[in-house]
Amino acid sequence: MFFRRKGWLRKEFDEKLLTQLNNNKEHWQKQKQLLDRSFDASEEAICQTKVAQVKYYFLLKEAKQRNVSIKR
């Protein structure tokens, strides 16, 4: 009875993981573009770009570990 719900929960959290992965990828790309377009980048902008990159790679690693993929 309790074990049937496990598959449903896994699907729900996998979908949330993919949503977060896509959002963080967009955020990282925006930060990277902002950094590339700036003439004199501040330390804060560089750090924010690195943080966004690390968050994206962490979620990508987690998705890979869970064998989650986007079905098109």
Side-chain angles (χ1 to χ4, degrees):
M1 182 168 114
F2 295 111
F3 296 110
R4 289 186 213 167
R5 189 171 175 158
K6 185 177 181 182
W8 179 74
L9 282 174
R10 180 175 289 271
K11 279 185 182 180
E12 181 181 339
F13 283 105
D14 286 347
E15 289 175 11
K16 286 183 181 182
L17 176 66
L18 290 176
T19 303
Q20 287 180 348
L21 186 67
N22 288 331
N23 290 341
N24 281 327
K25 182 178 181 182
E26 290 175 9
H27 179 69
W28 172 44
Q29 288 175 343
K30 287 178 184 177
Q31 290 288 78
K32 191 174 175 185
Q33 287 176 357
L34 181 66
L35 192 64
D36 290 340
R37 291 180 182 166
S38 65
F39 293 112
D40 188 24
S42 66
E43 289 293 321
E44 184 179 352
I46 294 170
C47 289
Q48 287 178 354
T49 305
K50 288 287 184 183
V51 168
Q53 179 184 8
V54 169
K55 284 181 183 179
Y56 172 70
Y57 283 137
F58 174 77
L59 290 175
L60 187 64
K61 184 178 175 183
E62 184 68 26
K64 202 178 234 187
Q65 188 175 16
R66 288 185 181 190
N67 292 327
V68 176
S69 63
I70 299 174
K71 304 209 172 153
R72 295 180 184 201

